[in-house]
Amino acid sequence: MNNNLFNEILSAQSIKRTVKQQRIVDASIRLFSEKGYSNTSTAEIAKVAEVSEASIFKQYGTKDNLLLSLIVPYIKEFFPSLANEAMDQIISNADSTFEGFLRAFLKNRIEFITGNKEIFQVLIKEIIYKEELKKEFLPYFHEIVIPRITKFIALFKERGELIDIPIDKILKLLFTFISGFIVSHFVLLNKESISNEEVEDVICFVMDGIRKSSSDH
């Protein structure tokens, strides 16, 4: 895998899948989620998708390429350009709070994961165990995700809402706790969804750690 392949797959997502490709994708997601990528053969995917194994190789070349074609568009959708629109709204609204942003973001992304649970499970399991996937996607996170969230944190620090510690430390706290919370629910515990009450518990826990207290003003 290389950056050229990564970019080619990103560009290819704008082309609508054929019925046969969609069957291959659906079968792959289901089998990878149930059995794991390494334990799933292209022959099994072909059987479930009701296509020939040769069709899979013709469409994707290798099983690795097939995996990438599933995960890449999911990554793009998980961190949408909506972040820029939300940023504009917050900047223009002096009454906006980091807690409000965090609540809206969490609920929106949890709803997205709930509707795409199987591919989320595939993504987490394979990112953990496949070094080549980490090398492909970590730069994407750093280029797309980190700068956007950093802007939010810097804005609320300027407003005096968050504790006065380096932004990178706040980022680590947020990603470590929130990602652990979501992964444990949807992957380890295999829950179908996360309740609003659980979301509020997480928000309270996070904000208690990073909110600037009144005594600090």
Side-chain angles (χ1 to χ4, degrees):
M1 296 182 199
N2 52 55
N3 286 331
N4 287 334
L5 175 59
F6 180 80
N7 291 328
E8 285 172 12
I9 293 175
L10 279 174
S11 300
Q13 301 311 315
S14 59
I15 302 174
K16 190 175 181 180
R17 292 188 183 115
T18 65
V19 173
K20 182 181 289 187
Q21 286 174 326
Q22 191 59 51
R23 290 210 305 267
I24 293 171
V25 165
D26 292 341
S28 300
I29 291 173
R30 193 175 111 203
L31 290 170
F32 290 164
S33 174
E34 292 174 355
K35 302 179 62 176
Y37 171 81
S38 299
N39 295 325
T40 301
S41 68
T42 50
E44 289 175 294
I45 295 171
K47 183 177 180 180
V48 172
E50 299 181 339
V51 300
S52 68
E53 193 172 6
S55 294
I56 294 176
F57 291 118
K58 181 180 179 182
Q59 298 287 343
Y60 299 99
T62 66
K63 194 168 77 162
D64 274 352
N65 287 0
L66 173 57
L67 177 64
L68 274 177
S69 74
L70 305 178
I71 291 178
V72 169
Y74 181 84
I75 290 285
K76 286 181 68 182
E77 288 183 61
F78 192 79
F79 298 103
S81 57
L82 159 61
N84 287 333
E85 296 171 13
M87 183 65 180
D88 292 338
Q89 291 175 1
I90 288 173
I91 289 174
S92 63
N93 184 0
D95 294 328
S96 296
T97 63
F98 187 79
E99 180 176 339
F101 158 71
L102 186 60
R103 179 177 290 105
F105 179 80
L106 268 176
K107 288 185 175 182
N108 181 273
R109 294 300 83 191
I110 287 171
E111 182 180 352
F112 177 75
I113 295 172
T114 301
N116 298 271
K117 182 184 169 187
E118 288 184 330
I119 187 63
F120 178 72
Q121 291 177 328
V122 172
L123 168 65
I124 297 303
K125 291 173 184 176
E126 299 312 320
I127 284 287
I128 289 173
Y129 295 112
K130 292 177 74 67
E131 282 299 320
E132 58 267 38
L133 278 179
K134 290 181 189 175
K135 290 176 183 176
E136 292 296 326
F137 291 113
L138 284 180
Y140 183 81
F141 284 127
H142 286 291
E143 292 169 15
I144 304 298
V145 181
I146 299 296
R148 289 176 175 170
I149 303 299
T150 297
K151 287 180 181 178
F152 281 108
I153 294 173
L155 174 65
F156 289 110
K157 278 193 71 176
E158 288 174 10
R159 292 182 178 179
E161 192 175 326
L162 304 179
I163 56 176
D164 190 21
I165 64 174
I167 290 176
D168 64 325
K169 287 189 177 181
I170 295 179
L171 273 172
K172 288 177 184 176
L173 289 170
L174 285 172
F175 279 121
T176 300
F177 185 74
I178 292 176
S179 62
F181 168 74
I182 292 176
V183 169
S184 65
H185 275 66
F186 284 110
V187 181
L188 299 180
L189 300 177
N190 199 27
K191 286 194 172 185
E192 293 301 318
S193 62
I194 298 176
S195 69
N196 287 336
E197 183 180 353
E198 290 173 308
V199 171
E200 292 303 319
D201 288 342
V202 169
I203 291 170
C204 286
F205 191 88
V206 170
M207 293 309 300
D208 283 347
I210 64 174
R211 182 190 286 114
K212 194 170 186 177
S213 68
S214 57
S215 61
D216 293 332
H217 287 283

